Amino acid sequence: MALNLFDLVVILVWLTAVTLFGLRFRSPERSLSAYFLADNAIPWWAIALSIVAAETSTLTVISIPGLAYSEDFRFLQLVFGYLIGRAIVAVLFLPAYFRGRMLTAYQLILARFGQRLHALTAGIFLLTRAAAEGVRVFAVAIVVRVALGSLLGGVSSFSRDLAAIALVTVLTLLYTFEGGLAAVIWTDVLQLSVYIAGSLFACFTLLHRLPGGLHGVLATAQPLGKLRLFDLSWSLTRSYTLWSGLIGGALLTTASHGTDQLIVQRLLAARSLRQSQLALLASGIVILFQFALFLFLGTALFVFYRDFPIHTVFNRTDAIYPTFIVSQLPHGISGLLIAAILAAAMANLSAALNALSSTTILDFYVRLRPESGEERRMTLARRATLMWGVALFVLALLARGGGRVLEVGLSIASVAYGCLLGVFLLGLMTRRATESAAIVGMVAGLALNLYLWLATPVSFPWYVVVGSLATFLVGYCSSWLIPGFDRVGTE
């Protein structure tokens, strides 16, 4: 079985409906605060769901089941660290952001250190977020290759990838360009609901098709080690151990949710500090459920293809879940589930576009042109959104042919998160550190992480641990060696 024209219509109708829903939030009279922070009028529960949608992409939806299919449940150890990291951000970072009435994460660095380090941190975010997001957007092409391969048999692989990435990018750009963060958050809530519901439906379908249902899945998977959750080894080359999960996962989330504008922007849009903290902690409960669901789905797929072998050879595990949807589910339902997976791509892409645009305008243009009027700033904010849409489209095409996309995306992000987290900790936890010393520490941390990524087998969860420690220690020690003339304090 393969998708047919009816499935294709279902997919296109869904994508169009989401775009029209997002366009409902456009308004001709908007300020930068309204465009980038939604007038601080979003309830905490919507922000919590939007945070989950923002850190979930098509890459996540298709790669996590593939990971459980080929391995086991050990990825969940990383998610346990995610919960710890959220608590750290809620206690350490969010009070500082709300106390200073920040519009972006990097304005905290400006207030604490100065313009040079502010520009450096914001610039690193722009470069690494764009690179990681390009990999995530490319995951759309993997889904379309599997889903529409039979319908587009006469079309070259590159043309299919080009059309798929272009379609999702253009539709997401429309409502993000017009509606700003309000459109992004509420479409995130809708998209999250759809792809979670789709994943639940796929799980129930698998359990119904398999002899013995849930008991049959567990009875088959347990003796084969597919339900293994904990790995107590201290290996730096294994991505998923208890220690890399609790330590690396905690610091990875502290960095991503405390220093990355993609998430911080949502937290700053809350009505109060308490609601922001509540949204962040609640998102941890949702993300734990989501990843457990995706992992169980992958295990059930393993049992299904073991009991009902097919002749398809999976060249990459990312294709297993989409292949099941296309080949095993009835028409209409399969189209809707493929649309649900693409929904995750649109939710993540819209978050990235708005975060990249806000950092470009608020951290660079407004600082360099403080005399500019609100109307001019709003015009440039929309242009920046459009510019980043084009950039991510190009980067997604360049990401074709890479390895397992989940870990490529996490590795790129983790390289930058190490030095970013180290600098933020220098600002929040010390009064001695100066701007010049912090820059030295940041360069050292980034260089070390690049070396670990490109020249060693060390796994990505340790990048943030090593990079943040190197940045913090080198920066703090350099403060005693480099004559300090920088501002000190958090006022």
Side-chain angles (χ1 to χ4, degrees), residues 263-283:
I263 302 298
V264 172
Q265 185 176 6
R266 280 154 180 69
L267 296 170
L268 295 178
R271 295 168 179 170
S272 66
L273 170 61
R274 184 174 179 277
Q275 288 227 341
S276 181
Q277 292 169 323
L278 182 59
L280 180 59
L281 297 176
S283 73

Side-chain angles (χ1 to χ4, degrees), residues 215-247:
H215 176 74
V217 171
L218 298 180
T220 302
Q222 177 66 40
L224 298 174
K226 303 298 291 183
L227 301 181
R228 182 184 181 189
L229 175 58
F230 295 110
D231 182 343
L232 301 181
S233 67
W234 274 98
S235 173
L236 295 179
T237 60
R238 293 184 183 178
S239 297
Y240 310 118
T241 69
L242 181 61
W243 315 115
S244 67
L246 294 181
I247 301 172

Side-chain angles (χ1 to χ4, degrees), residues 132-141 165 168-169 345 348-349 392-393 396:
E133 200 62 35
V135 176
R136 290 180 169 91
V137 175
F138 165 66
V140 171
I165 294 169
V168 170
T169 302
N348 187 265
L349 178 57
L392 294 183
F393 169 74

Side-chain angles (χ1 to χ4, degrees), residues 56-102:
T56 305
S57 63
T58 295
L59 178 157
T60 309
V61 177
I62 66 176
S63 289
I64 298 299
L67 189 65
Y69 180 97
S70 61
E71 298 180 19
D72 46 39
F73 270 65
R74 281 176 295 169
F75 180 86
L76 210 57
Q77 296 169 117
L78 199 62
V79 183
F80 297 152
Y82 291 175
L83 304 181
I84 298 172
R86 279 169 160 80
I88 295 172
V89 173
V91 172
L92 183 61
F93 285 76
L94 291 183
Y97 284 132
F98 276 84
R99 188 165 54 245
R101 297 183 180 275
M102 309 293 178

Side-chain angles (χ1 to χ4, degrees), residues 82-252:
Y82 291 175
L83 304 181
I84 298 172
R86 279 169 160 80
I88 295 172
V89 173
V91 172
L92 183 61
F93 285 76
L94 291 183
Y97 284 132
F98 276 84
R99 188 165 54 245
R101 297 183 180 275
M102 309 293 178
L103 296 179
T104 76
Y106 313 106
Q107 289 178 347
L108 181 65
I109 297 299
L110 176 64
R112 170 62 176 85
F113 289 112
Q115 294 183 0
R116 290 179 299 155
L117 191 57
H118 169 245
L120 182 60
T121 53
I124 286 179
F125 161 74
L126 291 177
L127 292 175
T128 54
R129 170 49 59 189
E133 200 62 35
V135 176
R136 290 180 169 91
V137 175
F138 165 66
V140 171
I142 299 174
V143 175
V144 171
R145 283 182 196 174
V146 175
L148 303 180
S150 61
L151 292 175
L152 304 175
V155 181
S156 69
S157 175
F158 176 77
S159 297
R160 283 203 303 269
D161 293 353
L162 180 69
I165 294 169
L167 176 64
V168 170
T169 302
V170 169
L171 292 179
T172 308
L173 256 176
L174 285 175
Y175 68 78
T176 308
F177 179 90
E178 291 290 347
L181 187 64
V184 170
I185 288 179
W186 288 113
T187 52
D188 280 354
V189 172
L190 179 63
Q191 306 276 41
L192 175 73
S193 302
V194 171
Y195 73 71
I196 290 294
S199 299
L200 285 170
F201 181 86
C203 273
F204 287 131
T205 301
L206 279 164
L207 294 179
H208 178 72
R209 297 274 298 275
L210 286 167
L214 176 60
H215 176 74
V217 171
L218 298 180
T220 302
Q222 177 66 40
L224 298 174
K226 303 298 291 183
L227 301 181
R228 182 184 181 189
L229 175 58
F230 295 110
D231 182 343
L232 301 181
S233 67
W234 274 98
S235 173
L236 295 179
T237 60
R238 293 184 183 178
S239 297
Y240 310 118
T241 69
L242 181 61
W243 315 115
S244 67
L246 294 181
I247 301 172
L251 291 184
L252 175 62

